Amino acid sequence: MAALIAENFRFLSLFFKSKDVMIFNGLVALGTVGSEELFSVVAFHCPCSPARNYIYGLAAIGVPALALFLIGVIWNNHTWNLVAECHKRGVKNFSAAATFLLFGSIMGRAAVAPVTWSVISLLRGEAYICALSEFVKPSSLDKFPAEYGAEVLARFPCKDVPANLTKFRDEVTRRLRYESQLFGWLIIGIVAVLVFLTKCLKHCCSPLSYRQEAYWAQYRSNEDKLFRRTAEVHSRILAAKNVKQFFGFVALDKEEKELVQEFPVEGVQTSPQWNAITGVYIYRENKGFPLYSRLHKWAKGVEGNGPSPEAHEMLFLAS
């Protein structure tokens, strides 16, 4: 148990530190696999009762997938940028293609964990067998005793059956496991093709060269890292000043004293400034010069959000 907890904490650490989309999605998938395995061992227990099996089996596959999808939507920065955009400026400045691109990015990232959960559940087959065992037609089983019906078939996943039905239970389990794994492999194949086509379409439609796109990714990562680090220091220094004004002194450690002396904070940013750097950003150019983020756009003094003769929208969303 201690090793399992340590592995989960290690995964969460990597999860939050990762910036690269492929690594991020890979970690999400691996974490989902581990969670599904833990769920199967600890929490999954088929009721082996007619009418209940189907609901429980589908719930075991669908409910965690739905929860993981919603968590993925919540943890996606694009989601809250879109909310801020709609609240402050609306989406009237976005074309249909840009809106579709934004929602596609949010849904695609959020779908990684639920698809992984569903695939692993289908490959294991336990939930599928539990859900559909009672619907196997007795007539499809050679020499199946006529006195037994759906109630006995529903008990097959629990292996709680008369001795003379053991071979039929094995056959039903094998058949349903085959169907379940077949669906799982089909989903893997379909997702792989969709990912390949999406990557091809993205690079074919990108207005940026490969090197500029790589530079933009580096810029976004560095800007976000520096912004968060600077915001943390700025808020700490501002808080220290306000606490000192209230009490007449402030208890700072050595590092904090050095920060206060090195970076004097005179005031705070106004709400219009915060609003200007918050929201959805789609790659634009101004007079031929790239604007890599809302902060970059604000620093250059470019006004407005929509396309204009001097600010051209390229319909390319940050990953």
Side-chain angles (χ1 to χ4, degrees):
M1 181 61 69
L4 179 62
I5 295 175
E7 286 298 320
N8 285 333
F9 275 109
R10 188 177 297 110
F11 163 74
L12 290 175
S13 176
L14 292 172
F15 183 91
F16 287 109
K17 289 180 180 178
S18 175
K19 301 298 182 182
D20 184 82
V21 174
M22 296 302 295
I23 296 177
F24 180 89
N25 290 342
L27 290 173
V28 172
L30 289 175
T32 305
V33 170
S35 300
E36 204 281 337
E37 290 291 332
L38 181 63
F39 172 81
S40 297
V41 173
V42 177
F44 184 83
H45 299 288
C46 185
C48 294
S49 174
R52 296 179 181 177
N53 283 13
Y54 184 71
I55 297 175
Y56 185 81
L58 291 185
I61 298 175
V63 173
L66 176 61
L68 289 170
F69 177 78
L70 294 177
I71 291 173
V73 172
I74 292 172
W75 278 353
N76 194 323
N77 290 334
H78 288 325
T79 301
W80 306 115
N81 284 333
L82 178 62
V83 172
E85 189 74 24
C86 294
H87 178 65
K88 297 297 181 183
R89 289 173 285 268
V91 294
K92 59 182 181 298
N93 292 318
F94 290 147
S95 64
T99 304
F100 175 80
L101 190 64
L102 177 61
F103 277 102
S105 174
I106 295 174
M107 297 298 114
R109 289 283 292 274
V112 174
V115 168
T116 303
W117 178 278
S118 300
V119 167
I120 297 300
S121 296
L122 289 172
L123 292 179
R124 288 181 60 89
E126 293 180 357
Y128 188 90
I129 293 172
C130 176
L132 297 181
S133 63
E134 65 182 285
F135 297 104
V136 175
K137 294 182 178 179
S139 59
S140 66
L141 302 172
D142 186 31
K143 299 180 180 180
F144 187 82
E147 64 270 20
Y148 297 113
E151 292 186 1
V152 173
L153 290 170
R155 290 159 52 191
F156 277 10
C158 297
K159 303 180 180 180
D160 181 20
V161 295
N164 63 325
L165 297 182
T166 301
K167 66 175 184 178
F168 298 108
R169 177 182 60 79
D170 294 339
E171 182 180 348
V172 169
T173 301
R174 185 166 53 250
R175 181 188 303 179
L176 293 178
R177 192 179 302 278
Y178 154 76
E179 294 177 1
S180 179
Q181 292 183 347
L182 178 61
F183 288 137
W185 289 120
L186 287 176
I187 292 176
I188 291 176
I190 293 172
V191 170
V193 171
L194 289 177
V195 170
F196 173 74
L197 294 177
T198 301
K199 295 292 289 186
C200 291
L201 184 64
K202 175 185 175 182
H203 288 290
C204 289
C205 298
S206 172
L208 307 179
S209 66
Y210 172 77
R211 291 187 180 275
Q212 187 179 7
E213 188 176 337
Y215 177 85
W216 187 25
Q218 292 174 344
Y219 173 84
R220 293 197 312 270
S221 177
N222 288 325
E223 181 189 84
D224 182 68
K225 186 187 304 181
L226 292 172
F227 188 92
R228 291 176 182 273
R229 188 188 306 166
T230 304
E232 196 277 333
V233 173
H234 185 281
S235 61
R236 187 185 303 183
I237 295 173
L238 181 63
K241 290 182 60 177
N242 292 336
V243 171
K244 182 178 181 179
Q245 184 174 355
F246 183 83
F247 286 107
F249 73 96
V250 58
L252 301 174
D253 57 28
K254 182 179 179 181
E255 180 184 353
E256 290 171 334
K257 289 179 181 178
E258 293 175 352
L259 288 176
V260 171
Q261 294 175 357
E262 185 176 359
F263 304 111
V265 173
E266 300 299 334
V268 297
Q269 289 67 34
T270 62
S271 293
Q273 288 178 311
W274 284 105
N275 292 336
I277 66 169
T278 303
V280 177
Y281 185 76
I282 295 178
Y283 179 80
R284 291 178 173 86
E285 292 182 357
N286 181 258
K287 298 180 180 179
F289 291 94
L291 299 173
Y292 291 119
S293 68
R294 283 197 170 276
L295 181 60
H296 188 190
K297 180 181 174 183
W298 173 85
K300 290 296 183 181
V302 178
E303 300 293 336
N305 189 45
S308 66
E310 293 185 348
H312 181 59
E313 179 181 332
M314 302 299 289
L315 298 181
F316 192 62
L317 182 70
S319 297

